[in-house]
Amino acid sequence: MTSARKYKVGLVQMSMGPDPAKNLAAAEDRIRAATGRGAQIICLPELFQAQYFCQREDLRLFDLAEPIPGPATQRLGKLAAELRVTIIASLFERRAPGLYHNTAVTLNPAGEISSVYRKMHIPDDPLYYEKYYFTPGDLGFQAVDTQVGRIGTLVCWDQWYPEGARLTALQGAEVLFYPTAIGWHPAEKEEFGEAQYDAWQTIQRSHAIANGVYVAGVNRVGHETGDVLGNRVEGAGLEFWGGSFLADPFGRIIAKASHTEEEIVVAEINPNLMEETRRNWPFLRDRRIDAYAPITKRFLDPVRAWAPDGDPK
């Protein structure tokens, strides 16, 4: 093996109340707790400063957004410098008037912004009306060096796309972090809930296996009605299913939180396991990069006929 380098990551699974200021303070407390357990890179859930507000389309909620750099990055950067850790924070970014992003910022132990990732895939489903609020990312997929290792950050809906995981892993990321806000519609939970969570975990485990990397899904937990300072959604709301986890390069779950409680998951990253796994499963070696150009197409229409020489007409 190449080295004995190991490090610990902390996954903060938390619930959010209606007061953004209190949510930020709670996140700071949990970052301190994760650091106390030895975490050197700590990831918060998606849009942790508020209850998940995308359950409706409300013009007033754009007031939650802030610039980057801005108040949250300044405050969390100060904390990162104090604790000498890396913090991954998912923020509602105000880029310009009328232009907003769902953005993950990585803050280094000097308190500086080391990377900004804007969520690339934006969903639009019942109670997940993100296309109303967020412009698709335009910074691409990226990996960044930290004080202990190279990591990549994607966000929630990006979890379902193997292309994003691959392009980030190809830049040398050892861990893919996915800050997340995903849950059950209460009326669907009994019939579909178990299968939905299993699919969510399985797709991310597959990213770990296909790329020979660690993958961390960092979710919020608890029932929410999108309450922001008393401005809430009518109806049953969403039950965020927690279940934050870390999978190793073989796809094994090495640490996992419950579905119902706030928890801090701290687990070890061992780059030597990546080396061992990729030596035995050399998927990167065997990639047919000469044959993948069509992947940039939206859809490949079926071939309707074949010429005598075997080529499609």
Side-chain angles (χ1 to χ4, degrees):
M1 294 295 111
T2 56
S3 74
R5 177 173 58 88
K6 297 178 182 179
Y7 53 96
K8 290 185 177 180
V9 298
L11 319 181
V12 176
Q13 177 170 296
M14 59 185 286
S15 59
M16 286 60 167
D19 187 337
K22 291 182 178 178
N23 292 328
L24 178 55
E28 290 177 317
D29 289 342
R30 286 155 178 79
I31 290 169
R32 290 185 183 278
T35 302
R37 292 173 54 189
Q40 296 152 285
I41 304 172
I42 300 158
C43 184
L44 297 166
E46 182 183 19
L47 300 171
F48 69 92
Q49 290 190 90
Q51 287 203 1
Y52 184 72
F53 55 86
C54 304
Q55 296 184 51
R56 79 291 208 177
E57 298 179 355
D58 186 335
L59 199 66
R60 295 169 293 177
L61 292 173
F62 285 102
D63 290 339
L64 290 170
E66 61 181 83
I68 296 173
T73 56
Q74 182 178 13
R75 186 164 164 178
L76 291 172
K78 183 178 179 180
L79 183 63
E82 175 193 339
L83 300 175
R84 304 302 296 171
V85 297
T86 292
I87 297 172
I88 299 169
S90 171
L91 305 173
F92 186 9
E93 178 190 4
R94 180 188 183 275
R95 183 176 178 184
L99 185 60
Y100 302 84
H101 295 280
N102 186 335
T103 300
V105 176
T106 302
L107 299 149
N108 65 29
E112 303 162 337
I113 295 174
S114 56
S115 76
V116 175
Y117 171 78
R118 293 175 176 142
K119 185 173 180 178
M120 295 285 280
H121 304 96
I122 310 297
D124 187 67
D125 291 311
L127 300 187
Y128 293 91
Y129 301 117
E130 294 198 15
K131 281 185 166 61
Y132 179 76
Y133 295 100
F134 308 128
T135 300
D138 55 3
L139 298 177
F141 303 103
Q142 50 188 281
V144 63
D145 288 320
T146 73
Q147 78 279 26
V148 289
R150 192 164 175 81
I151 65 170
T153 301
L154 302 98
V155 178
C156 200
W157 196 238
D158 294 327
Q159 288 156 338
W160 303 97
Y161 296 86
E163 299 90 345
R166 174 72 88 200
L167 288 169
T168 309
L170 287 177
Q171 297 174 62
E174 297 171 341
V175 190
L176 305 182
F177 287 93
Y178 289 91
T180 299
I182 191 169
W184 293 298
H185 292 264
E188 297 179 353
K189 181 180 177 181
E190 183 175 354
E191 182 176 1
F192 301 110
E194 183 177 351
Q196 289 171 341
Y197 175 80
D198 184 65
W200 176 76
Q201 187 187 86
T202 299
I203 189 66
Q204 293 177 88
R205 290 176 62 202
S206 75
H207 299 331
I209 296 167
N211 295 290
V213 297
Y214 288 84
V215 170
V218 189
N219 197 14
R220 61 175 67 200
V221 69
H223 181 263
E224 295 186 15
T225 56
D227 189 346
V228 180
L229 298 175
N231 176 8
R232 64 185 297 275
V233 178
E234 298 299 325
L238 292 169
E239 181 184 345
F240 292 93
W241 64 45
S244 302
F245 70 94
L246 181 70
D248 74 8
F250 209 69
R252 297 170 293 199
I253 303 299
I254 59 176
K256 180 178 177 294
S258 74
H259 290 298
T260 58
E261 304 298 325
E262 293 186 295
E263 295 182 45
I264 298 170
V265 175
V266 176
E268 186 175 78
I269 304 300
N270 181 2
N272 281 346
L273 182 59
M274 289 179 55
E275 182 79 26
E276 179 182 343
T277 303
R278 287 180 175 183
R279 287 179 181 181
N280 288 285
W281 281 359
F283 299 140
L284 299 187
R285 181 197 69 187
D286 295 339
R287 293 177 65 236
R288 284 295 307 276
I289 59 175
D290 57 311
Y292 298 154
I295 199 68
T296 60
K297 302 293 185 181
R298 177 70 62 187
F299 185 74
L300 300 179
D301 293 307
V303 174
R304 300 301 182 186
W306 292 83
D309 61 3
D311 292 330
K313 291 182 178 178

